[in-house]
């Protein structure tokens, strides 16, 4: 029986076409039962079903000595689907990397993580720089001898990714965000792994692929630990929730664990919040009533003491006052054990003001039978689109069809018009942000004291702590960087917006506020998005981009 990988083939010496031919023939023969692929199917060497055991884990950020994870203890079982949720900048990616066994030099870790994990698959939130420089050929054939190519080609077919491109010399960094995520999914899921780690996996995927990924997570027997802000995604995949919270103006960490699906967890939290709030209000009313009665007694004794001239009566009143003061201390101690009002993380607050919108009927763009191309490759033909001054247009479509390319084309057309003050939020935040600056330095235009105070006030309303306002932007989470770009738009007061996946890194708490921000925006906008709720609430018309142009989409069909 022939074992691929032991036949003496030097993969690095082969051309892309030769590599593709060998892989194709191998998979074909394997499917016919002639060849057994050499695949390392992992064995369960663990004792019992515990994948990871976490004991009193606390993760502290060294820069400002602030806890992100506080006293977390839990056991992750084989096959569990664990979602890590929380606001932007609360340490979700840090916890994920700690569970993977990474060394985190910018953090102090107390407690321990016990695991005999032998193999894992991981897809990060952002495409790593080293991966951007690789070609598809090298990624799939040169560096990946442990891939199961029968799975690889099946996944490519399911995800509508042309498997002929596996052998191409196209750089991964040149792919669209969705395509780059697809090829990572194909690559990582074709490896042997015990646990799959995913950091915001639904961010750049089209709607069809998100639905596919939900199904994969549900049916896989392996453990999946993932971060997501997508409530629909969470609802259909997670069976355990780890909630990272920063309360008391982001100064105190609170880490919650519940072995529940996301909807049950959300319902339970709301019910517990309402119950605790009601109990706290009842306790406070009873305490206030008791203390009011106590103050009247105390005041009467004090009045009698001042008025008495009889020494015997005075001694009796003094003794009574001593008892009253003792009782007061008991009440104060009892108040410490009263039900406290539950702590909640503050919602972000942001809105546009002072916008001078363009006339609603003014035609800004008129595309007639235009083509959309990247280099020599035609992505779309016969584009027709009319854009007016206050229209809010959503664009959807499969990954790699050219949605971001279309936005770039529209950006060039709009930049040429003097009457338009254009605001742009790219999918890749780093195209606009200056990573070495602090948030305050990035937003500051004049350096005047009044402007600095205004910026600090806005950042605080977006739940930035004072130290975070001073950190380099590169150290902020993806969601915090997204907030920074939103604030930049608000401060610059544009009358037309281009948005590429504007909700992709925002938490379920922030997303309603983001939707409200753009729903109430008086100007026009064009947005690329895969967020159904955002599209339905914000956009007045939606188009699907295909290779044949733009098709009108009914909102109810999303």
């Amino acid at each position: 029986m022939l074992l691929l990988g032991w036949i003496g083939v030097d993969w690095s010496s082969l051309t892309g076409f030769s590599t593709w031919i060998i892989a194709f023939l191998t998979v074909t023969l394997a499917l016919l039962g002639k060849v057994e692929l050499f695949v390392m199917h992992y064995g369960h060497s663990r004792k019992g079903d515990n994948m990871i055991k976490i004991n009193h884990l606390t993760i502290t950020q060294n820069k400002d000595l602030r806890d992100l994870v506080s006293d977390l203890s839990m056991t992750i079982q084989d096959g569990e689907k664990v979602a890590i949720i929380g606001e932007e900048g609360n340490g979700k990616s840090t916890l994920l990397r700690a569970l993977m066994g990474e060394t985190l030099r910018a953090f102090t870790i107390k407690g321990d993580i016990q695991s005999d994990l032998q193999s894992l698959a991981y897809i990060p939130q952002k495409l790593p720089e080293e991966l951007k420089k690789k070609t598809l050929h090298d990624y799939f054939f040169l560096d990946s001898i442990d891939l199961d190519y029968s799975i690889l080609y099946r996944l490519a077919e399911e995800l509508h990714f042309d498997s002929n491109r596996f052998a191409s010399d196209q750089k991964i960094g040149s792919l669209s965000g969705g395509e780059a995520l697809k090829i990572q999914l194909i690559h990582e899921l074709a490896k042997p792994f015990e646990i799959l780690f995913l950091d915001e996996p639904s961010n750049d995927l089209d709607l069809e692929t998100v639905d596919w990924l939900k199904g994969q997570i549900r049916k896989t027997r392996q453990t999946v630990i993932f971060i997501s802000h997508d409530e629909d995604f969470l609802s259909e995949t997670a069976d355990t929730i780890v909630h990272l919270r920063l309360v008391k103006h982001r100064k105190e960490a609170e880490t919650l664990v519940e072995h529940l699906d996301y909807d049950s967890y959300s319902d339970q939290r709301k019910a517990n919040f309402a119950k605790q709030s009601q109990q706290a209000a009842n306790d406070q009313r009873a305490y206030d009533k008791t203390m009011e009665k106590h103050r009247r007694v105390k005041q009467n004794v004090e009045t009698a003491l001042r008025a008495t001239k009889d020494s015997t009566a005075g001694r009796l009143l003094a003794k009574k006052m001593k008892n009253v003061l003792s009782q007061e201390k008991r009440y104060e101690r009892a108040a410490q054990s009263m039900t406290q009002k539950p702590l909640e993380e503050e919602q972000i607050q942001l809105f546009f003001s002072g916008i001078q919108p363009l006339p609603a009927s003014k035609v800004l763009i008129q595309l007639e039978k235009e083509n959309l191309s990247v280099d020599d490759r035609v992505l779309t033909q016969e584009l027709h689109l009319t854009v007016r001054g206050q229209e809010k247009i959503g664009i959807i479509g499969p990954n790699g069809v050219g949605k971001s390319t279309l936005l770039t084309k529209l950006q060039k057309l709009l930049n040429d018009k003097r009457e338009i003050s254009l605001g742009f939020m790219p999918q890749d935040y780093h195209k606009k942000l200056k990573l070495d600056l602090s948030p305050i330095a990035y937003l500051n235009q004049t350096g005047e004291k009044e402007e600095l105070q205004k910026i600090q006030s806005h950042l605080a309303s977006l739940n930035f702590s004072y130290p975070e306002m001073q950190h380099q932007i590169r150290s902020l989470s993806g969601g915090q960087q997204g907030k920074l770009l939103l604030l930049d738009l608000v401060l610059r007061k544009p009358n037309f917006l281009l948005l590429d996946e504007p909700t992709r890194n925002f938490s379920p708490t922030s997303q309603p506020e983001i939707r409200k921000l753009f729903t109430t925006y008086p100007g026009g906008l064009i947005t690329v998005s895969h967020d159904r709720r955002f599209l339905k609430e914000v956009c007045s018309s939606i188009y699907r981009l295909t290779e044949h142009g733009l098709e009108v989409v009914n909102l109810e069909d999303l």
Side-chain angles (χ1 to χ4, degrees):
M1 195 178 294
L2 183 63
L3 296 178
L4 184 66
W6 293 91
I7 58 175
V9 176
D10 181 3
W11 288 83
S12 62
S13 67
L14 298 175
T15 64
F17 181 74
S18 300
T19 307
W20 183 88
I21 289 295
I22 289 175
F24 175 78
L25 290 173
T26 303
V27 172
T28 303
L29 289 170
L31 292 173
L32 292 172
K34 304 296 184 183
V35 176
E36 181 180 318
L37 289 177
F38 178 67
V39 180
M40 289 171 43
H41 294 293
Y42 66 88
H44 290 274
S45 60
R46 298 178 303 279
K47 295 178 181 178
D49 293 327
N50 297 344
M51 298 290 291
I52 299 176
K53 190 169 184 179
I54 305 164
N55 297 306
H56 302 291
L57 180 68
T58 295
I59 301 178
T60 305
Q61 195 173 44
N62 294 338
K63 190 174 291 185
D64 52 20
L65 300 179
R66 183 181 53 160
D67 290 346
L68 296 177
V69 177
S70 176
D71 196 30
L72 171 61
S73 293
M74 68 179 297
T75 298
I76 298 174
Q77 307 285 354
D78 194 5
E80 217 169 336
K81 309 300 186 290
V82 182
I84 303 173
I85 66 172
E87 296 301 295
E88 301 85 2
N90 280 17
K92 300 181 295 297
S93 296
T94 302
L95 174 58
L96 191 77
R97 288 160 52 210
L99 296 179
M100 289 168 55
E102 279 193 27
T103 301
L104 304 173
R105 292 185 173 81
F107 301 88
T108 297
I109 298 180
K110 296 177 183 176
D112 65 349
I113 302 171
Q114 299 173 11
S115 170
D116 55 1
L117 184 63
Q118 301 297 315
S119 57
L120 61 87
Y122 171 52
I123 300 177
Q125 185 179 137
K126 291 183 290 190
L127 187 65
E129 288 300 319
E130 62 271 18
L131 198 53
K132 289 181 182 179
K133 299 170 186 174
K134 282 188 179 180
T135 65
L136 288 168
H137 167 268
D138 289 351
Y139 185 50
F140 285 106
F141 296 113
L142 188 60
D143 305 330
S144 302
I145 58 172
D146 61 342
L147 293 182
D148 183 330
Y149 283 92
S150 63
I151 294 176
L152 190 84
Y153 282 89
R154 175 175 60 78
L155 291 172
E157 183 177 354
E158 289 180 11
L159 290 173
H160 308 295
F161 188 86
D162 183 1
S163 57
N164 291 323
R165 295 173 66 187
F166 286 159
S168 79
D169 290 327
Q170 184 179 3
K171 293 284 180 67
I172 293 173
S174 70
L175 299 173
S176 72
E179 282 192 308
L181 191 47
K182 274 186 181 181
I183 62 116
Q184 289 177 88
L185 281 169
I186 292 168
H187 185 277
E188 293 300 290
L189 293 177
K191 291 178 4 182
F193 64 87
E194 294 170 295
I195 300 185
L196 174 62
F197 291 91
L198 302 170
D199 196 343
E200 295 287 359
S202 63
N203 268 358
D204 296 318
L205 296 176
D206 56 51
L207 298 175
E208 183 182 352
T209 307
V210 170
D211 289 339
W212 175 88
L213 182 56
K214 290 175 190 174
Q216 291 294 309
I217 292 175
R218 283 195 300 266
K219 71 185 182 184
T220 186
R221 289 177 295 177
Q222 283 99 325
T223 301
V224 183
I225 304 176
F226 65 97
I227 296 167
S228 181
H229 287 144
D230 184 332
E231 290 187 280
D232 292 332
F233 190 88
L234 289 164
S235 296
E236 297 184 38
T237 52
D239 56 30
T240 297
I241 304 295
V242 178
H243 191 171
L244 305 187
R245 286 164 35 99
L246 289 176
V247 294
K248 297 183 179 179
H249 303 293
R250 295 180 63 78
K251 293 178 182 176
E252 185 176 304
E254 182 182 76
T255 306
L256 309 173
V257 178
E258 291 289 350
H259 294 280
L260 296 169
D261 63 80
Y262 180 75
D263 289 340
S264 298
Y265 174 73
S266 298
D267 291 343
Q268 177 181 283
R269 268 182 49 77
K270 289 173 185 174
N272 288 346
F273 183 86
K275 183 179 179 181
Q276 187 176 338
S277 296
Q278 185 62 53
Q279 187 61 52
N282 293 342
D283 287 359
Q284 189 64 50
R285 277 195 298 271
Y287 177 75
D288 291 344
K289 187 176 180 179
T290 300
M291 290 306 295
E292 179 59 34
K293 182 179 179 181
H294 174 78
R295 279 191 290 271
R296 286 199 301 270
V297 172
K298 182 179 178 182
Q299 188 176 19
N300 291 338
V301 174
E302 284 178 343
T303 302
L305 261 175
R306 290 193 184 97
T308 187
K309 295 179 181 178
D310 183 281
S311 60
T312 302
R315 284 195 297 272
L316 291 172
L317 286 169
K319 186 177 181 181
K320 187 171 184 179
M321 177 56 79
K322 184 179 179 181
N323 290 336
V324 168
L325 293 174
S326 296
Q327 183 67 50
E328 188 171 305
K329 288 181 180 177
R330 285 196 291 273
Y331 288 146
E332 289 172 353
R333 286 195 296 271
Q336 300 300 315
S337 60
M338 278 174 25
T339 304
Q340 300 297 309
K341 186 177 179 181
L343 295 170
E344 276 296 287
E345 295 174 297
E346 295 88 351
Q347 284 190 331
I348 66 171
Q349 298 176 18
L350 194 63
F351 54 89
F352 286 98
S353 63
I355 302 294
Q356 298 296 322
L358 296 161
S361 60
K362 185 176 180 62
V363 175
L364 306 181
I365 293 175
Q366 186 94 46
L367 298 181
E368 293 285 348
K369 295 186 177 181
E370 300 242 4
N371 289 349
L372 192 64
S373 305
V374 173
D375 299 326
D376 296 330
R377 187 161 65 104
V378 177
L379 300 173
T380 304
Q381 295 179 314
E382 298 287 316
L383 270 176
H384 294 264
L385 180 65
T386 301
V387 180
R388 292 181 171 82
Q390 294 178 27
E391 274 191 292
K392 293 182 178 177
I393 296 171
I395 297 173
I396 64 173
N399 295 129
V401 75
K403 299 183 297 296
S404 295
T405 305
L406 175 59
L407 274 194
T408 302
K409 181 184 182 75
L410 297 176
Q411 183 183 13
K412 290 176 182 176
L413 293 172
L414 292 169
N415 275 334
D416 292 338
K417 299 181 182 293
R418 292 182 182 178
E419 69 273 27
I420 295 177
S421 169
L422 187 64
F424 179 51
M425 185 174 182
Q427 187 180 129
D428 183 355
Y429 299 157
H430 296 178
K431 288 181 178 179
K432 279 195 73 175
L433 294 173
K434 297 176 182 177
L435 301 182
D436 293 331
L437 296 180
S438 69
I440 290 177
Y442 174 73
L443 296 168
N444 186 22
Q445 299 293 314
T446 66
E448 295 177 359
K449 184 177 180 181
E450 185 179 343
E451 184 191 30
L452 289 173
Q453 290 175 339
K454 182 179 179 182
I455 290 170
Q456 287 179 339
S457 176
H458 275 301
L459 288 170
S461 73
L462 293 176
N463 293 338
F464 280 79
S465 65
Y466 184 75
E468 287 170 334
M469 298 180 195
Q470 312 296 328
H471 291 173
Q472 284 188 329
I473 291 172
R474 71 171 68 255
S475 71
L476 301 177
S477 73
Q480 288 176 306
Q481 291 179 4
K483 285 179 178 178
L484 205 51
L485 286 178
L486 286 180
L487 179 52
D488 188 41
L489 290 179
V490 166
L491 294 174
R492 292 181 183 275
K493 304 180 188 300
N495 57 18
F496 200 89
L497 300 174
L498 292 177
L499 310 170
D500 198 348
E501 298 287 358
T503 62
R504 62 195 297 269
N505 283 312
F506 293 109
S507 72
T509 304
S510 296
Q511 287 197 28
E513 299 303 312
I514 305 300
R515 295 195 293 269
K516 187 191 301 181
L517 173 71
F518 292 114
T519 300
T520 58
Y521 173 68
L525 63 81
I526 301 173
T527 179
V528 168
S529 181
H530 297 129
D531 184 334
R532 288 180 171 93
R533 296 188 190 191
F534 180 82
L535 290 165
K536 287 181 177 179
E537 287 189 30
V538 173
C539 298
S540 53
S541 55
I542 298 174
Y543 295 91
R544 178 179 286 107
L545 183 63
T546 72
E547 60 184 13
H548 304 297
L550 288 165
E551 302 171 352
V552 177
V553 177
N554 193 318
L555 282 169
E556 284 71 32
D557 294 337
L558 277 179

